[in-house]
Amino acid sequence: MGMAVLPNNTDSVDDPLLPWLRSIKKALDDLKSSAESESRRQLDNTLEECIMKFKDDNRYCNDIRFLKIWLLYADAIQDFGSVFGIMEESKICLTQSLLYIAYAIFLEAKGKLVEADSIYRMGISRNAQPLEELKENHSEFLRRVSDYVNCGSLQEIDNGDSVQLQTKCVNPWAISTINNLLRKINPQMLKYNGYHIINKIYSGKVRLSSLHNNSRNKLVEIGGKKYLIKGCSGQGGFAQVFKAYVNSDAEEVVALKIQKPAFPWEFYMYRQLDMRIPIEERPSFAFAHKVHIYSDYSILVCDYLAHGTLQVGMLYFIYFMLIICIQLLIWTSYFAQDAINSWVVIGQCMEEVLCIYYCIEMLHMLEILHSVGIIHGDFKPDNLLIRYSRNDLTEDGFRGRTGPWHDQGLCLIDWGRGIDLHLFPDGTEFKGDCRTSGFRCVEMQENRPWTFQVDAYGLCVIVHMMLFGSYMAVEKKVSSDGSYLYQPKSTLKRYWNVELWRDLFTKLLNISPGEDHIKSLRSLRESFEDYMTSNPTLIKKLAQLLVKQRASLCCA
């Protein structure tokens, strides 16, 4: 927690705690200056001796200074539960809101969000002071949890190994579901190569909390290696992704995903990909080399791809529209922050042949992924990195993804919301809301069960963004047989391949329960491939556009 106990002025001449406060402050100062194990032991011993000496002294049962000593001790031994139990039994500082805030923060760092919530509520029910500060911290905690799991429920759900809700549906992103699944698979995870558990807080010289978007050339020590931070690649509510050089070697570049509280689930999903995805398809789904799980942070070490996301890749046409402008760098810097808005500004979208290519790639991805029982759960353009072949693209090998086309395509990242269907009984459906604006499938919007629809809807939104330059709005239309079909509100342009796109949206926005949607994905992919291979000039044009796109992104 890093709290410093400072000696307070006191009117009392007889304050035996005061010399101890000075000793603790000196020990803290020594620890900050040397960080050696002997300094750590000296501080721990001083804290323990002080607590044992004054634990039963009524003068200090509600003294904020004594509370801070207890909190330092709990942080030192990393057993806040036992310390809290002793304090409750001895009725020490139970009316101080700091006690509940500190314990709840500790639990949150451990990933025990339900327990953290109960501690906040306990302090509020005891009217701990200052009460408003406690309530404010609790509200901030709930906002973080909402962002973290994208689910508004903190309710415990535990009706067996499948963690099923009473409605026979499961919220796959609920805290209780994730915690129960992690407990279930923990013995399996301990055997995974690259899974490192460190049962203490991260104690490197560079504090992880000091890393920000503009952090450069900071040296972070993790698992015996030193990573030189070269910039922030992305940031969410609880995680940051940094480009880093391993042992300062510019030839060995990785991505570090630093997350608080620790989140081992994503590493589990990466190892499932390793085991289930065919080796020739594996480059399309990202790699994680290792994860370090501390009591306060997790650090995921992944491959780093330098060519940006599909979200940025959609800008290639804009770059070449502006290449003659002397303000090119100013414009591209602006547009790269918001690809969608940039299309609206200049009224341009991605060429259809490139849209078709990326649509084929995404259909193929979901076909492979869903066939092995995995749902990504967060399928959107900024989670799709662009892969480029080192060799020139030719007309040969396009359909079979051989030769240079094997290395060309997309790479799906960020598996924090991944769902492993093998951990649930056959036929399980889900009823959670991703809460991601623009990517909530129809079933989520109407509070109906879903499974693969969450990824299929994401694909449709991405296609709509490529074609129209905007997010997709859907409407419910009556079909010829009296049933309802969902379709995008936007009107397809006459000079596009209208039947191909209409078929795509119709099938993927209207997946019925029990339908063989993998067969539909394959059929759609093959129809787009048939069109592309029907005319050799289309593949030649595609290859030229990909070269231009790569050049434009390098310029940016």
Side-chain angles (χ1 to χ4, degrees):
M1 262 166 223
M3 296 182 194
V5 179
L6 299 176
N8 290 4
N9 291 329
T10 177
D11 295 330
S12 173
V13 177
D14 184 18
D15 185 8
L17 185 63
L18 189 55
W20 287 88
L21 289 169
R22 293 180 178 135
S23 297
I24 292 170
K25 182 181 184 300
K26 183 179 183 303
L28 282 168
D29 291 340
D30 291 344
L31 183 62
K32 289 177 183 177
S33 61
S34 68
E36 295 181 359
S37 58
E38 182 58 36
S39 299
R40 176 83 253 182
R41 281 194 296 271
Q42 180 181 347
L43 174 61
D44 294 348
N45 291 337
T46 305
L47 292 169
E48 185 174 5
E49 290 173 12
C50 179
I51 284 172
M52 295 306 296
K53 183 174 182 63
F54 297 107
K55 180 169 69 75
D56 300 318
D57 192 326
N58 290 333
R59 289 175 295 178
Y60 302 112
C61 66
N62 202 36
D63 191 314
I64 190 70
R65 301 173 301 164
F66 196 38
L67 171 59
K68 291 180 180 179
I69 293 172
W70 279 91
L71 297 181
L72 276 173
Y73 179 65
D75 186 60
I77 67 172
Q78 286 292 293
D79 188 4
F80 215 130
S82 298
V83 171
F84 186 78
I86 296 171
M87 295 180 73
E88 277 209 301
E89 183 180 345
S90 302
K91 294 183 171 50
I92 297 172
C93 297
L94 299 184
T95 60
Q96 297 281 358
S97 63
L98 179 60
L99 171 62
Y100 305 97
I101 293 170
Y103 189 18
I105 290 173
F106 177 85
L107 290 169
E108 183 182 351
K110 291 282 190 180
K112 298 179 179 180
L113 304 183
V114 175
E115 293 91 332
D117 180 66
S118 68
I119 292 299
Y120 277 118
R121 295 180 187 276
M122 179 189 296
I124 293 170
S125 69
R126 291 175 175 177
N127 200 33
Q129 298 297 316
L131 184 59
E132 287 307 312
E133 181 180 348
L134 180 58
K135 288 182 177 179
E136 183 179 342
N137 275 270
H138 184 217
S139 297
E140 291 176 359
F141 163 78
L142 292 177
R143 283 194 290 270
R144 290 195 300 271
V145 169
S146 178
D147 291 339
Y148 180 44
V149 297
N150 291 287
C151 148
S153 172
L154 283 172
Q155 180 182 0
E156 280 277 20
I157 304 157
D158 189 4
N159 294 332
D161 287 343
S162 63
V163 204
Q164 294 188 31
L165 299 176
Q166 292 181 353
T167 59
K168 305 300 181 184
C169 291
V170 180
N171 183 343
W173 303 311
I175 301 164
S176 52
T177 304
I178 294 173
N179 284 343
N180 285 339
L181 291 176
L182 286 173
R183 283 193 292 267
K184 180 179 177 181
I185 63 179
N186 185 58
Q188 178 182 344
M189 291 186 69
L190 292 173
K191 300 176 183 178
Y192 288 158
N193 182 40
Y195 187 64
H196 305 288
I197 296 182
I198 304 94
N199 292 316
K200 59 181 181 179
I201 63 173
Y202 178 80
S203 58
K205 293 181 180 180
V206 175
R207 291 183 298 110
L208 298 182
S209 60
S210 70
L211 299 177
H212 303 292
N213 288 351
N214 57 353
S215 294
R216 296 287 189 281
N217 298 321
K218 288 190 175 184
L219 206 57
V220 179
E221 299 179 29
I222 308 166
K225 290 189 176 182
K226 295 181 179 180
Y227 296 86
L228 184 65
I229 301 297
K230 300 304 294 181
C232 184
S233 304
Q235 184 171 7
F238 284 79
Q240 290 177 294
V241 180
F242 294 93
K243 175 184 178 181
Y245 294 163
V246 181
N247 293 327
S248 300
D249 182 0
E251 298 298 317
E252 191 173 355
V253 187
V254 296
L256 298 180
K257 185 170 185 177
I258 301 175
Q259 188 157 346
K260 182 177 183 179
F263 191 62
W265 178 259
E266 186 168 6
F267 185 74
Y268 168 79
M269 292 303 303
Y270 273 112
R271 285 297 174 261
Q272 298 311 302
L273 294 170
D274 292 340
M275 291 185 280
R276 301 185 204 177
I277 302 296
I279 190 168
E280 65 274 11
E281 305 289 352
R282 191 65 186 83
S284 296
F285 300 96
F287 292 93
H289 302 287
K290 63 185 75 172
V291 68
H292 299 271
I293 306 292
Y294 295 88
S295 60
D296 52 348
Y297 285 91
S298 60
I299 305 171
L300 189 68
V301 184
C302 302
D303 277 354
Y304 179 80
L305 294 181
H307 298 299
T309 66
L310 183 58
Q311 179 101 5
V312 177
M314 295 177 192
L315 302 177
Y316 88 101
F317 195 78
I318 297 168
Y319 295 134
F320 281 89
M321 289 287 292
L322 300 174
I323 196 69
I324 60 172
C325 177
I326 61 172
Q327 294 178 316
L328 174 64
L329 293 179
I330 298 174
W331 279 94
T332 54
S333 175
Y334 168 73
F335 285 135
Q337 295 174 29
D338 193 338
I340 308 305
N341 287 343
S342 66
W343 287 338
V344 175
V345 171
I346 69 169
Q348 296 292 339
C349 302
M350 183 180 288
E351 286 204 32
E352 189 187 20
V353 68
L354 201 54
C355 295
I356 290 174
Y357 170 67
Y358 284 127
C359 183
I360 291 171
E361 285 297 297
M362 291 186 291
L363 287 167
H364 184 65
M365 273 183 169
L366 294 190
E367 182 185 342
I368 296 295
L369 197 62
H370 293 177
S371 67
V372 297
I374 293 176
I375 298 173
H376 183 264
D378 199 15
F379 202 81
K380 56 187 182 182
D382 44 355
N383 284 336
L384 288 161
L385 299 180
I386 299 176
R387 296 185 297 122
Y388 287 107
S389 173
R390 295 183 178 181
N391 301 315
D392 293 338
L393 299 170
T394 62
E395 296 174 20
D396 297 329
F398 171 79
R399 185 156 197 155
R401 289 177 178 76
T402 58
W405 289 103
H406 178 263
D407 301 320
Q408 183 78 36
L410 298 171
C411 180
L412 186 57
I413 63 169
D414 197 347
W415 292 87
R417 288 194 202 169
I419 302 170
D420 180 4
L421 295 178
H422 291 183
L423 296 178
F424 300 93
D426 291 343
T428 296
E429 293 182 296
F430 303 105
K431 210 170 184 180
D433 193 329
C434 70
R435 304 291 175 96
T436 303
S437 178
F439 290 89
R440 299 171 64 240
C441 62
V442 171
E443 289 74 14
M444 290 180 186
Q445 296 175 38
E446 298 183 352
N447 198 28
R448 292 190 282 118
W450 53 266
T451 50
F452 300 107
Q453 291 94 331
V454 63
D455 286 349
Y457 190 88
L459 186 150
C460 289
V461 175
I462 297 170
V463 169
H464 192 280
M465 292 169 70
M466 292 190 295
L467 289 172
F468 295 97
S470 64
Y471 287 104
M472 179 178 67
V474 298
E475 59 184 352
K476 201 173 184 178
K477 294 184 176 180
V478 180
S479 62
S480 57
D481 62 359
S483 61
Y484 289 97
L485 286 177
Y486 293 92
Q487 289 287 342
K489 289 183 178 181
S490 304
T491 302
L492 295 167
K493 296 179 181 179
R494 287 177 296 174
Y495 54 83
W496 288 345
N497 287 274
V498 175
E499 290 305 314
L500 284 177
W501 295 121
R502 183 180 291 130
D503 193 33
L504 175 91
F505 288 119
T506 300
K507 287 183 177 178
L508 296 189
L509 292 178
N510 299 277
I511 298 175
S512 303
E515 176 187 341
D516 186 359
H517 88 289
I518 296 175
K519 183 178 178 181
S520 296
L521 291 171
R522 184 180 306 114
S523 173
L524 289 168
R525 172 179 57 80
E526 290 174 348
S527 66
F528 281 103
E529 288 175 341
D530 288 342
Y531 168 74
M532 288 295 294
T533 54
S534 66
N535 186 345
T537 60
L538 291 174
I539 298 177
K540 183 178 180 180
K541 180 180 180 181
L542 171 63
Q544 292 171 345
L545 289 172
L546 288 170
V547 171
K548 289 181 180 179
Q549 182 187 62
R550 182 175 188 176
S552 66
L553 292 177
C554 290
C555 290

